[in-house]
Amino acid sequence: MAEFDQIAAAQQLHNNGDDVTEIEHYWQNVRLLFPLRKDWTYLNNGTMGPSPYPVVEAVQKGMMEGDQFGRYGGWETTSKKLAAFVGANEDEIALTHNVTDGINIGCWGVPLKKGDEVILTTHEHVGNAFPWLSRQRLHGIVLKTFTPASTADETLNRINALITKKTRVIAVPHIPCTQGQIFPVKDICTLAREKNIYSIIDGAHGPGMLHLDLHDMGCDTYASCTHKWMLGPKGTGFMYVRKDFQNILQAYFVGGGSDNAQWDMACHPVKMGEYANSAHRYYGGTQSLGLYKGVDAAIDFIETIGMDNIHKRIKSLGHYTQQRLLEFGDKIELLTPTEERSRCAVNGFRIKGIDNAKFYKDCMEKTVQIRTVGENGLNSLRVSTHIYNNKQDIDKLMDLIKKAV
């Protein structure tokens, strides 16, 4: 597409040492690459990231490739591309359909017995909460929770205070869906490792928002998706399982590709063989070639613009959102920390004295889409912006808040 060529050309600015974060014509060109309606102010990327045209086209091309030739396979190559993008090895990446798939792999595969303790937050998404709640009911593990603090250091202290001799897992989000706070996840994983505790991280909001190096992070597992900040196809995700943790984390949902091809049902006794010597042991069977070609294209799209440019841009928009919200004084309760290391592209807030459901409805009627946060009784609102947004989008929301208060 001509617009994609413009982005590639604009990227040269960055290569020449110029910061494109605040060059608005650059980001106006980026916006043209998305099929989002021009009359729709979309401020809910934290739920679903709209895919740009190159991703949509790659999905269509991949589907056609499979259907024209009856091709089977080809999706496995995406593991290598994902691994490079998140700082892992190819054999540490399992392809999934969403974050919840990966969380369930981690939750049910980690060795736990009755009475073992798992630490979570009071800000969990159902995808991270319900698997652990279910295992608590079925296996008698004990869940302990903390409320995120306003600083990274205090958040780490609250986790540390919950640790006992029975603690076996820290299963927290990298970035809670409720208010977008960035946890000091590397420090959390270091703490876990020092105390012989497993770190099972919900990474729904990491890739595509932040620079990731999972080896440096030091987690045992990291479950994520490509349909949020990576702007990839819906129904695609991945699970990172550290190589030397793979023989600890039991694989349960298995099939073609999960094995070393040594199983045999015709011999007596039947023969299983071994699990695959990679994270492929955690997924098996047919995947969508078209969708994973779309994941490849999403990574190419991000890397063409530059992950550094994307991170700076969305953090700038997130900061601008905070500044505008704070202008309302005590009429607004900002739930996301203002601490530099703890914030990026998502902000949670409450409008005092205003019914959230009604305000959300009013926003939708004015073609502004945000999110209500009903999880865990938080009763709040959330705005999340990506590279297709600009300050005018945020100002439109602020005008609606001004009328409401």
Side-chain angles (χ1 to χ4, degrees):
M1 294 180 64
E3 292 92 345
F4 196 61
D5 292 339
Q6 291 178 41
I7 296 303
Q11 172 62 11
Q12 192 63 39
L13 291 171
H14 174 64
N15 296 338
N16 292 337
D18 296 323
D19 185 359
V20 301
T21 304
E22 300 297 342
I23 301 176
E24 286 305 316
H25 73 265
Y26 176 99
W27 299 108
Q28 288 170 10
N29 283 339
V30 169
R31 176 64 175 80
L32 293 174
L33 295 174
F34 289 82
L36 278 166
R37 284 174 43 173
K38 291 182 173 59
D39 63 344
W40 194 254
T41 303
Y42 187 71
L43 301 173
N44 190 29
N45 193 92
T47 294
M48 195 73 74
S51 294
Y53 287 113
V55 172
V56 175
E57 291 166 0
V59 171
Q60 294 172 334
K61 184 178 178 181
M63 290 181 65
M64 187 62 71
E65 179 183 335
D67 290 329
Q68 282 180 321
F69 301 101
R71 182 180 174 190
Y72 186 85
W75 50 79
E76 301 91 346
T77 60
T78 301
S79 295
K80 183 175 182 179
K81 201 151 193 166
L82 280 166
F85 186 69
V86 300
N89 297 331
E90 181 180 358
D91 62 0
E92 296 174 310
I93 299 294
L95 300 182
T96 64
H97 302 104
N98 46 53
V99 182
T100 304
D101 274 2
I103 288 172
N104 274 276
I105 291 169
C107 171
W108 296 100
V110 68
L112 296 174
K113 64 181 184 302
K114 184 176 181 179
D116 285 347
E117 296 176 353
V118 177
I119 296 175
L120 296 101
T121 76
T122 59
H123 279 243
E124 298 297 342
H125 185 275
V126 63
N128 196 43
F130 209 67
W132 295 105
L133 287 165
S134 185
R135 191 160 186 191
Q136 176 179 249
R137 172 179 289 183
L138 296 176
H139 295 167
I141 63 172
V142 176
L143 304 186
K144 301 174 71 175
T145 62
F146 71 95
T147 298
S150 60
T151 66
D153 288 343
E154 180 55 29
T155 294
L156 186 65
N157 289 338
R158 291 184 183 185
I159 294 173
N160 192 36
L162 288 178
I163 294 174
T164 72
K165 293 180 179 180
K166 293 183 178 181
T167 305
R168 295 292 177 268
V169 177
I170 298 175
V172 298
H174 188 172
I175 303 170
C177 71
T178 53
Q179 33 77 301
Q181 177 175 353
I182 302 173
F183 280 6
V185 70
K186 181 178 178 178
D187 295 334
I188 291 169
C189 293
T190 298
L191 174 66
R193 186 167 56 253
E194 290 173 347
K195 294 181 178 292
N196 295 315
I197 295 169
Y198 302 123
S199 51
I200 310 294
I201 305 299
D202 170 2
H205 298 273
M209 184 196 296
L210 308 175
H211 295 277
L212 280 189
D213 185 337
L214 296 181
H215 284 165
D216 182 64
M217 184 184 294
C219 55
D220 292 314
T221 74
Y222 191 95
S224 194
C225 62
T226 76
H227 72 254
K228 293 183 186 290
W229 302 94
M230 287 181 67
L231 306 171
K234 288 61 189 166
T236 56
F238 65 93
M239 171 75 164
Y240 163 81
V241 184
R242 183 169 52 81
K243 183 64 176 178
D244 58 1
F245 189 60
Q246 290 173 15
N247 286 329
I248 296 174
L249 187 72
Q250 179 61 48
Y252 284 107
F253 190 91
V254 295
S258 304
D259 61 309
N260 67 346
Q262 297 298 311
W263 62 276
D264 188 347
M265 302 300 288
C267 64
H268 301 283
V270 296
K271 179 183 176 183
M272 175 179 170
E274 300 297 334
Y275 295 107
N277 188 31
S278 70
H280 204 324
R281 68 177 63 189
Y282 301 106
Y283 74 103
T286 306
Q287 302 288 331
S288 168
L289 176 60
L291 290 181
Y292 281 100
K293 289 297 184 183
V295 173
D296 292 347
I299 294 173
D300 289 343
F301 181 80
I302 290 171
E303 291 180 344
T304 298
I305 297 173
M307 190 59 231
D308 187 55
N309 287 334
I310 291 173
H311 172 69
K312 287 180 179 178
R313 174 64 174 184
I314 61 178
K315 185 164 186 175
S316 173
L317 291 174
H319 187 218
Y320 181 74
T321 302
Q322 280 197 346
Q323 291 177 314
R324 290 300 319 272
L325 287 170
L326 291 172
E327 289 174 3
F328 289 98
D330 60 6
K331 296 178 181 178
I332 291 288
E333 180 186 1
L334 182 63
L335 303 180
T336 305
T338 57
E339 183 184 49
E340 177 75 15
R341 66 181 292 199
S342 298
R343 60 172 176 80
C344 189
V346 180
N347 283 286
F349 63 99
R350 295 189 184 98
I351 307 174
K352 295 183 180 179
I354 299 298
D355 179 78
N356 288 333
K358 182 180 183 304
F359 181 75
Y360 172 82
K361 182 179 179 182
D362 291 342
C363 285
M364 292 294 283
E365 289 176 352
K366 300 296 184 181
T367 68
V368 176
Q369 185 169 349
I370 57 175
R371 183 190 190 277
T372 57
V373 180
E375 286 90 341
N376 308 295
L378 289 170
N379 191 29
S380 59
L381 298 163
R382 189 193 73 186
V383 55
S384 49
T385 49
H386 211 316
I387 54 174
Y388 48 78
N389 291 121
N390 54 39
K391 291 181 178 179
Q392 288 70 38
D393 293 336
I394 297 164
D395 290 342
K396 189 172 181 180
L397 171 64
M398 297 305 150
D399 288 342
L400 294 175
I401 295 175
K402 185 176 181 179
K403 293 177 181 178
V405 298

